[in-house]
Amino acid sequence: MATLLFLLLFFGLLACGMPIFLVLGTCAALLYLVSGEPLIGAAQLVITQLNSTTLMALPLFVMTAAFMRFGGVAKALVDLAAAWLGGVRGSLGLVTVVACTLFAAICGSSVATALAMGSILVPAMIERGYPRSFALGVVGASGTIGIVIPPSLALILYGIVAEQSVPRLFLAGILPGLLQAAAFFLWVLYDARRRNFPVEPALPFAERMRITGHALPALIVPVTVMVGIYGGIVTVTEAAALSAVVSLLVSLFFYRGFHWTETLRIVADGIRSAATIMLIVATALAFGHWMTLSGVPSQLVRFTVDHGFSTWEFLLAINVLLLVLGCFLEVTATLLLVLPILAPALKPLGVDPVHFSIIFTHNMEIGLVHPPVGLNLFVLSTISQAPIGEVIRGILPFLILLLVVLGIITYVPALTLWLPRMVFGG
Amino acid sequence: MIAPLDTTLRWWDRVEQFLIGLLGLVTLVIGIWQIVGRYFDPAHAISYAEEVIVYLVIWAIMIAASQLVARDGHVRSDMVLRLLPASAQRWAEIFNCIVALVFCFGLVWYGWQIVDTSLLLDERSSTDLQFPMWIYYTALPVGGALMAVRYAVRLVRYAFHYDPATMAVGRPGAHEMPLDMRETG
């Protein structure tokens, strides 16, 4: 009964349009009050937990994404993909998949990827005579690659909450991310032939090399991050700071996305972006801590074991739960609310936490494009002025592909675990 | 809204923005300094960069929280809200502001107690830096107070200056939007 009331309050406040950080903060405060814990303990807990160097990778990567948005980086990557894919039927659709994958390796946020790419590629595709629903669908779906390709904000948070090594999680995300990109690529290739999409002229080799050269500075960022982290040169947080600085400098001096006098304003904008996520993180931490204390996780394990759920049934149930939650909550919030309950249950049920991290984030991805309320759907509808139904129609085939990929990720653990085991052993 | 108050708020916003930008820039410089120092100039290398980054970023974020209130930039799902008639939306927003104000006062009150205790105990960080922790903790009550001011302004706007035509704009979270779509204070 009390649980039901509480859930009603939680979703009621969300429905009022209250900011998510405030909903979490208010509910956490109420829970502390009801259970007789002093509120100062909650405040102390939050400020202490925020004092974490690993956590700082998060705002720094968000800042990187913010800098990248101005620098003409997205444009350079689109040109790069277009230069090499010219001459293939439906090449602009393929360009979207490839450019989104590259951009995802830079910025770490799915919605930012969809936005940056959508504002360039959707008008371009419509102009060349692609159906608008297809253009929106491929951009929205490809944007979700951002959440598993490193550096991934979601995986950093997962690493902190589930106490896993972030570099290991990053490696685990690469193959599933590429599998998803490949599935999209093949589908677009097929769809382009079926519906006879236009062909772009192939560029001469010298032109291709020139465009590749122009895109190189943008590609420095993911290379620095990967080499830095896996070469053991820098920590994840240092890599985040490095990528923020490199992206700022590249945008400022190479692509000249903004004047240097605007630097403070751009940095402030990056911090504001980071703040939206960090406030949710802070309040969700208090919430999650209460959740762990309340003994819900151990009850969950007992329930699952008592009812004879097998591991795969457990995973299936989790998939469904996450898809439903992803329709209502934002990625960070879902992760921080659900993970403290699930993380302790993984070991007893024989689920590898690294494997689970990718299942988890892939679910979040689907939530981003899943009707009725995936965030990417709304972003695309906003930037293109298209009705939401059209976006949904365009995204449907990709949604099915995403569900198939989710199935593969869930039931073929080797796909996620092979690469981290190769590199780190274990 | 009354003109002098608007001017004050505009200047307030600029000061906040300047502070955030400065804190962010110093963060980046210190981060690079640590990496470069470690490999190229060990004599001047610093070991406490990551610790200082935490203090700077948390301070910047707590100030930015106030700016996000003014820009309606805090992530929320306003799908249900936008289905309501304008007058109901107004009451929902007023309700949100009041809850936010209570929350912010809690942040200031308990934040201050943490700062006070830390001062009393002369709490220092356990690193070489021996950083006085009360400076870091102060971000909590200051952030709460700054946000409270913005929420109070928002409350007044919704209570006395509500224009259903302009107030009802639904948008995704600020961190997901490009600059040109959200630079409206």
Side-chain angles (χ1 to χ4, degrees), chain A residues 82-88 91-92 128 198-204 207-208:
Chain A
W84 292 98
L85 286 166
V88 184
S91 61
L92 278 183
R128 293 288 292 126
V199 187
E200 309 300 321
L203 293 176
E207 184 63 12
R208 289 184 178 183

Side-chain angles (χ1 to χ4, degrees), chain A residues 51-70:
Chain A
N51 191 355
S52 143
T53 13
T54 322
L55 196 56
M56 288 309 122
L58 205 64
L60 289 168
F61 275 127
V62 176
M63 283 167 79
T64 309
F67 300 154
M68 282 300 191
R69 276 204 297 263
F70 305 99

Side-chain angles (χ1 to χ4, degrees), chain A residues 343-398:
Chain A
L346 295 178
K347 264 270 155 58
L349 289 167
V351 182
D352 188 302
V354 175
H355 178 208
F356 190 68
S357 72
I358 306 301
I359 299 178
F360 201 105
T361 38
H362 196 83
N363 261 299
M364 304 281 91
E365 268 180 41
I366 298 177
L368 281 175
V369 295
H370 201 288
V373 279
L375 195 51
N376 272 10
L377 299 176
F378 285 96
V379 170
L380 288 168
S381 159
T382 310
I383 60 170
S384 67
Q385 312 276 317
I388 195 90
E390 198 177 318
V391 184
I392 292 175
R393 210 166 42 247
I395 225 153
L396 220 52
F398 296 99

Side-chain angles (χ1 to χ4, degrees), chain A residues 13-22 24-26 29 38-40 43-53 56 59-60 62-63 66-67 69-70 109-112 115 232-242 244-245 248 263-269 271-280 283 328 330 332 372-373 375 378-379 382-383, chain B residues 13 16-18 20-25 27-29 31-32 34-35 38-39 50-51 53-58 60-62 64-65 67-69 71 73-81 84 92-93 95-97 99-101 103-104 107 110-111 113-114 117 123 133 136-137 139-140 147 151 170-183:
Chain A
L13 292 181
L14 271 182
C16 278
M18 194 176 277
I20 294 177
F21 92 94
L22 202 54
L24 291 172
T26 311
L39 275 176
I40 189 168
Q44 183 78 54
L45 180 97
V46 167
I47 195 82
T48 313
Q49 295 230 20
L50 283 179
N51 191 355
S52 143
T53 13
M56 288 309 122
L60 289 168
V62 176
M63 283 167 79
F67 300 154
R69 276 204 297 263
F70 305 99
S109 153
S110 286
V111 183
L115 253 176
I233 303 169
V234 293
T235 63
V236 174
T237 305
E238 285 174 341
L242 199 58
V245 171
L248 187 64
T263 310
L264 266 194
R265 198 174 66 83
I266 303 285
V267 173
D269 190 71
I271 294 270
R272 268 199 296 271
S273 305
T276 57
I277 293 186
M278 291 302 284
L279 281 177
I280 295 176
T283 44
F328 298 99
E330 190 256 1
T332 349
V373 279
L375 195 51
F378 285 96
V379 170
T382 310
I383 60 170
Chain B
D13 199 71
E16 279 183 346
Q17 167 138 327
F18 175 77
I20 298 169
L22 202 63
L23 288 169
L25 214 54
T27 306
L28 294 181
V29 170
I32 291 303
Q34 163 158 304
I35 304 169
R38 190 165 64 225
Y39 289 104
E50 291 197 322
E51 181 189 348
I53 286 176
V54 174
Y55 305 144
L56 290 168
V57 168
I58 296 299
I61 279 169
M62 289 313 284
Q67 293 221 309
L68 286 171
V69 175
R71 287 167 173 71
H74 281 295
V75 186
R76 58 184 191 151
S77 89
D78 53 5
M79 223 191 29
V80 179
L81 186 67
L84 301 175
E93 295 284 13
F95 169 72
N96 289 345
C97 289
V99 174
L101 278 172
F103 183 80
C104 290
L107 218 54
Y110 292 110
Q113 292 196 350
I114 292 172
T117 317
E123 191 186 349
M133 291 309 282
Y136 166 62
Y137 293 150
L140 212 55
M147 264 201 288
Y151 270 116
R171 41 184 155 168
H175 65 286
E176 312 287 19
M177 302 297 282
L179 240 206
D180 47 336
M181 287 173 82
R182 69 174 124 109
E183 274 301 279

Side-chain angles (χ1 to χ4, degrees), chain A residues 184 187 366 369 395-407:
Chain A
F184 286 0
W187 167 256
I366 298 177
V369 295
I395 225 153
L396 220 52
F398 296 99
L399 190 60
I400 295 168
L401 285 175
L402 275 171
L403 288 170
V404 173
V405 173
L406 176 63

